[in-house]
Amino acid sequence: MYLSYARNKHAGVIELPDGNILARTVVEEDFFAARVEITVSVPGLEIVSISASIDRCFSEACHRTVAPLADVTGLRIGPGIIKLVNQTTGGTNGCPRLADLILECCEQVILRFTLDPLKQILDKQGREMIDAYKVFLSRNPRLLNSCIAFAGGSPLREGLEVEDF
Amino acid sequence: MLAFSRTKWVGVEKPAPDTYLAHGVLEDNIYGLELDVTVKTPEYKITSAAGKMRRFTTPECPRAVPVLQEAIGVCLTEANLISLVNRRIGREGCRHFANLLLECCDAILRCAFFERWAEAKKQGIDPGDYAKERLPLVPALKNTCLALKME
């Protein structure tokens, strides 16, 4: 059996000397290759610059979708960003693939800030770990009910209710 | 210094004329997941989904693996596929599995659409003409972007 199609997507986050962060997502698939880079302010998490290129695509029309990407500068990585990026970049008159790459960058920025607290939690065991998760959730209430681990009934959120926030 | 890195890879095979099999891998500094998804055409319905969590963060996370079975029966052509998968597989299970499943679903639709494109391009067929001919077989992609916009 051979592969009929393959996609490789990589997203990385780099800390810049000025304290801001750069997120870059690159995708290579059979008939499409592109990259998006965003610079994000810290701690405001505002997209302060964006650059993108489409290196391989299906139609010449695809290249026309790169210019409107500037519309995402000024957006803050937070609630509502998915809808706003899809509205400005994706849709019938845009490129949902570029919108997806921007959102991948945003997701990695969030995960980058989740990594350090998680490392501290994962160094603990048993009851200590559960208690550390409760503190983590009380600081990140958006995660309550976001997955099976943080759903009602999970020992990791024992005693924490959405109404508490 | 690279402060965070995530790689997603999806490969699609066609083990039978009416079957697509996607294998997806997600690896980042926190999570390591794998997924196998089978989709039957012409309905583009998920007929099997199996996942493996190699690396995760909480003792509760592995409970998300059986939740993947909730993907069976989902059609890739559903207008609200993203929110459906995020709710059914993400919120009820693991949102990173949902992310990888959506990546696999998208890869299958792209595979189906582009299946004849390399050959058509060699023959000098215009992308617009190819899209007109191919989109009826993959209607979920119609009008999803500027290149696939049909009047």
Side-chain angles (χ1 to χ4, degrees), chain A residues 4 76 97 103 123 157:
Chain A
S4 297
R76 189 180 172 277
R97 319 219 73 76
L103 292 171
D123 283 341
R157 55 167 284 189

Side-chain angles (χ1 to χ4, degrees), chain A residues 26 28 35 37 39 47 52 54 96 114 116 118 141 144:
Chain A
V26 180
E28 280 280 350
R35 61 190 273 143
E37 276 188 15
T39 311
I47 298 174
I54 294 178
T114 314
D116 291 341
L118 276 178
L144 287 171

Side-chain angles (χ1 to χ4, degrees), chain A residues 1-15 27 29-32 56-62 64-65 90-97 100 104 107-112 114-115 118-119 121-122 129-130 133 142-143 145-151 153-156, chain B residues 1-16 20 28-31 56-61 63-64 67 86 90-96 99 102-104 106-108 110-111 113-115 117-118 121 126-128 130-131 141 143-150:
Chain A
M1 183 62 60
Y2 58 88
L3 275 184
S4 297
Y5 171 93
R7 173 185 302 171
N8 203 339
K9 193 188 272 182
H10 178 259
V13 172
I14 296 156
E15 286 166 359
V27 66
E29 57 177 81
D30 288 12
F31 302 104
F32 185 75
R56 189 168 63 255
C57 56
F58 171 62
S59 158
E60 278 305 305
C62 303
R64 296 206 302 270
T65 62
T92 310
N93 293 313
C95 177
R97 319 219 73 76
D100 174 65
E104 285 283 357
E107 170 86 358
Q108 305 327 308
V109 170
I110 294 167
L111 285 170
R112 186 267 165 272
T114 314
L115 179 60
L118 276 178
K119 276 181 180 172
I121 293 171
L122 294 173
M129 183 195 264
I130 291 176
Y133 262 116
R142 66 183 170 86
L143 292 175
N145 293 329
S146 66
C147 67
I148 200 164
F150 301 142
S154 165
L156 303 176
Chain B
M1 182 185 148
L2 196 60
F4 193 85
S5 165
R6 169 175 281 189
T7 297
K8 284 188 277 184
W9 181 87
V10 181
V12 182
E13 298 170 30
K14 210 172 172 192
Y20 291 99
D28 66 28
N29 293 65
I30 306 173
Y31 303 96
F56 44 89
T57 51
T58 82
E60 299 295 305
C61 295
R63 288 174 51 218
V67 177
N86 280 334
R91 207 176 307 157
E92 302 295 321
C94 168
R95 60 195 189 93
H96 306 287
N99 184 307
L102 287 170
E103 200 78 49
C104 288
D106 183 66
I108 287 171
R110 300 274 289 175
C111 177
F113 178 76
F114 285 113
E115 219 164 277
W117 175 233
K121 201 175 173 186
D126 175 73
Y130 178 82
L141 292 182
N143 292 330
T144 53
C145 69
L146 191 58
L148 302 181
K149 188 177 175 181
M150 297 289 130

Side-chain angles (χ1 to χ4, degrees), chain A residues 23 25 35-38 40 47 50-52 65-66 68-73 75 77 81 85-86 88-90 95-109:
Chain A
T25 304
R35 61 190 273 143
V36 166
E37 276 188 15
I38 60 170
V40 177
I47 298 174
I50 181 165
S51 67
T65 62
V66 175
L69 291 193
D71 292 347
V72 304
T73 54
L75 296 183
I77 298 176
I81 184 96
V85 168
N86 284 330
T88 55
T89 309
C95 177
R97 319 219 73 76
L98 286 179
D100 174 65
L101 296 184
I102 296 168
L103 292 171
E104 285 283 357
C105 287
C106 297
E107 170 86 358
Q108 305 327 308
V109 170

Side-chain angles (χ1 to χ4, degrees), chain B residues 69-106:
Chain B
Q69 299 314 302
E70 297 299 318
I72 294 172
V74 169
C75 279
L76 274 48
T77 52
E78 301 218 21
N80 59 347
L81 179 72
I82 295 174
S83 55
L84 177 75
V85 169
N86 280 334
R87 193 173 60 245
R88 203 181 278 186
I89 306 300
R91 207 176 307 157
E92 302 295 321
C94 168
R95 60 195 189 93
H96 306 287
F97 258 147
N99 184 307
L100 188 56
L101 177 58
L102 287 170
E103 200 78 49
C104 288
C105 293
D106 183 66

